[in-house]
Amino acid sequence: MLKSLFGLKDAGSKADRRPEEGSIALEPSPISYLSPALLALEEWKWPTPGEIRAQLLGNNCGELWRSIPNGHKWLNYFDYYESLFSSFRGKKPKVLEIGVDRGGSLVLWKRYFGIGSQIVGIDIKQDCLSFDRPSDGIHVRIGSQDDPVFLESIVDEFGPFDIVIDDGSHIVSHQIASFNALFDRGVKVGGIYMVEDLETSYWGQRTGQADLPVTFIDFARAVIDLMHKPYVDQDYGAFLIEQTSGAALEVPYITKIVDQVRFFDSIVAFYRRDRLPPVVEHLFNT
Ligand SMILES: C[S@@+](CC[C@H](N)C(=O)[O-])C[C@H]1O[C@@H](n2cnc3c(N)ncnc32)[C@H](O)[C@@H]1O
């Protein structure tokens, strides 16, 4: 499996760790720099269902989800959700979720974030309108996540949001279109834009979701590179506090508004912040 996914000839010896002809790996793949010990193939055994479910005990989000019918979730997500979202609980956040389906997660987020939270779900299926409950702070609108005009109307009506969750089509071009339409105008400063189910990018052509030559994870890596744009071909001298006062850098807009990109298994989260340009100060005794 390791070989076919990443195009490695063999994880065991340095000489063999070359990308296979025709593989998806870059030449040379960054993976080829990992040590043979870290690439050695291992058995990875599943615990029993009981043992896995027991791990959800004490996880607020996971316990709530198990009490709500009409959903399916990767069970490892609940730790990630807690890590990303627990600081918003009880603070009346505005949450946009792309992908309503049977309405299970709308109810989950409402109960999880609590009284005063506003949960907005969007979907292409007309029948999802049956989950629209404005008096409970749950709103549903119908449209496609790759339609920037529709997304703009959602931001105008309800936004900006503290949290955006993309659990929609899982088509890479759609994930990117939604990020482009929503990250700037649709997410509050201090908010989080999260995309889940990124495993779908790795399922190959069968599902039609990997519709671009890049995965969404490649796209997120590019955002990380752009976070670091100020440093390209520079050194400390350009960032010394004594020299930066009144001066300016020229950077892509995204560099100024993302200050963290967090990767989990199949999830990536972008933190919307107004960054200051990087500055270095030396405090030496002599
Ligand atoms: C995985 S389900 C959502 C599950 C839901 N978030 C939950 O956890 O209960 C994905 C949903 O995305 C919707 N969807 C598919 N393509 C879409 C698109 N282009 N725009 C918006 N929603 C879309 C599907 O109709 C489906 O209901």
Side-chain angles (χ1 to χ4, degrees), residues 213-228:
V214 295
T215 64
F216 191 81
I217 288 185
D218 292 324
F219 176 81
R221 282 191 202 110
V223 173
I224 294 178
D225 281 337
L226 291 174
M227 273 173 66
H228 296 89

Side-chain angles (χ1 to χ4, degrees), residues 96-164:
L96 171 64
E97 182 161 46
I98 302 171
V100 171
D101 199 24
R102 298 176 197 190
S105 55
L106 294 181
V107 176
L108 169 68
W109 298 132
K110 183 67 201 173
R111 292 192 193 162
Y112 182 72
F113 291 112
I115 294 168
S117 60
Q118 195 176 29
I119 314 297
V120 180
I122 61 173
D123 206 293
I124 46 170
K125 290 191 296 200
Q126 283 293 334
D127 56 7
C128 289
L129 276 178
S130 64
F131 304 112
D132 189 42
R133 303 248 188 291
S135 57
D136 292 338
I138 297 177
H139 307 267
V140 176
R141 296 291 181 269
I142 302 304
S144 180
Q145 71 173 111
D146 70 338
D147 176 353
V149 176
F150 167 64
L151 296 179
E152 199 176 318
S153 75
I154 296 294
V155 175
D156 288 343
E157 185 176 2
F158 299 106
F161 298 93
D162 297 277
I163 295 170
V164 176

Side-chain angles (χ1 to χ4, degrees), residues 31 34 41 59-60 95 134 165 180 196-197 208 211 214 221 224 237 240 245:
I31 292 170
L34 276 163
L41 296 179
N59 178 302
N60 291 311
V95 179
I165 300 166
N180 283 334
E196 66 181 42
D197 287 345
D211 68 334
V214 295
R221 282 191 202 110
I224 294 178
L240 282 172
S245 177

